Amino acid sequence: MLGSAAAAAASSSSSVVPGVIVAKKYIASILGGTGSVGKNVLRSILADQQCEKVIVISRRPLDKDDDFQKLVSFEDPTGTRIIVKVCDPLDEMISTNTNIAFCTIGHGSSRNATKDDLMKVDATIPGKFALACKDAGVSHYCIMTATGADINSSWNFFTRTGGGGGYYNHVKGVAEKLTLDANISYTYIAQPAALLNSPHTPKVFDYVPNSILPMKHTSATINDIAKGMVKTTIDAYQNNRTGVVRITGGIPISLSSSEE
Ligand SMILES: NC(=O)c1ccc[n+]([C@@H]2O[C@H](COP(=O)([O-])OP(=O)(O)OC[C@H]3O[C@@H](n4cnc5c(N)ncnc54)[C@H](OP(=O)(O)O)[C@@H]3O)[C@@H](O)[C@H]2O)c1
């Protein structure tokens, strides 16, 4: 865990010329990079020329994962920018200098999870990742939770562990609290509603127009959500912003990808 070295690495790869802002190079990491959202996040980070490397933290080797290898050969043809680190997320996750991190891990299909497993995968592991990131020197961090996240929300017999239900919202609220407890200089909490084009989202959401929904319940595609999360976080890094930012709803999260 070399936090100060990470800061040195970041500052050594940038320079300041009076009147000219030079973008800083950085190393990013992602937990959940094999998921439907995470793969899009990975693509968006790699599209940024300032990104030198992305560390993909995975619980399993990815050399035989055809989808992932296709992504690697397309997005990283030289094979030098994506590094896969295989580890149990409850063990040591990051030991490499890292500046920016993204957490998109979760039960894609929460209704099939037990209470304990949902808490572990969607809150405990993200909390541990945030702490590991802080130790590794991460200054800018983004976690995706969900609209309605609320630590005070409680178990509901009918919704059980399903998305949008009381327990799910509680778990997402716990994830946010544990993440903020890590005290990273800049933390962006993205709270989307329905993720379109995700294999886990019921198709019926494709037919619900955003125009009839409150902004916090608007939907967006996984690609637009990922682009928005990456752009907002990288902009904050490049402009040395600090603090906690929460953006709720698909339209507001994805719109930030085209804002200047
Ligand atoms: N669908 C929606 O409308 C919606 C809306 C708001 C928020 N969300 C949230 O979006 C999040 C992720 O969605 P997604 O579609 O990207 O999910 P996904 O495609 O199922 O991807 C989940 C990711 O988490 C990893 N993972 C799952 N269980 C793990 C475990 N026990 N240990 C280590 N890694 C584990 C997976 O790794 P492997 O590849 O190794 O399995 C994968 O990288 C979920 O938390 C969900 O609650 C969804």
Side-chain angles (χ1 to χ4, degrees), residues 31-39 57-60 62 65 87-89 104-110 117-118 120-122 125 144-147 163 168 172 190-196 198-202 205 222:
L31 181 64
T34 53
S36 76
V37 179
K39 275 193 204 132
I57 316 273
S58 171
R59 59 176 162 172
R60 58 193 170 90
L62 299 175
D65 181 322
C87 64
D88 180 330
T104 59
I105 190 178
H107 264 284
S109 187
S110 66
D117 209 36
L118 187 63
K120 179 180 133 192
V121 177
D122 285 48
I125 291 175
M144 183 182 73
T145 60
T147 188
Y168 177 90
K172 296 296 181 187
Q191 302 177 316
L195 300 172
L196 305 182
S198 162
H200 312 296
T201 307
F205 284 99
I222 44 179

Side-chain angles (χ1 to χ4, degrees), residues 76-97:
D76 183 25
T78 58
T80 52
R81 292 175 78 208
I82 298 178
I83 296 168
V84 175
K85 178 167 176 165
V86 179
C87 64
D88 180 330
L90 289 175
D91 295 337
E92 184 192 5
M93 282 189 270
I94 296 199
S95 55
T96 320
N97 298 338

Side-chain angles (χ1 to χ4, degrees), residues 205-234:
F205 284 99
D206 289 354
Y207 302 102
V208 182
N210 277 335
S211 54
I212 64 163
L213 297 170
M215 204 50 97
K216 66 179 182 179
H217 290 306
T218 54
S219 55
T221 63
I222 44 179
N223 184 28
D224 287 345
I225 292 284
K227 277 189 186 161
M229 293 195 302
V230 169
K231 179 161 192 310
T232 299
T233 311
I234 290 174

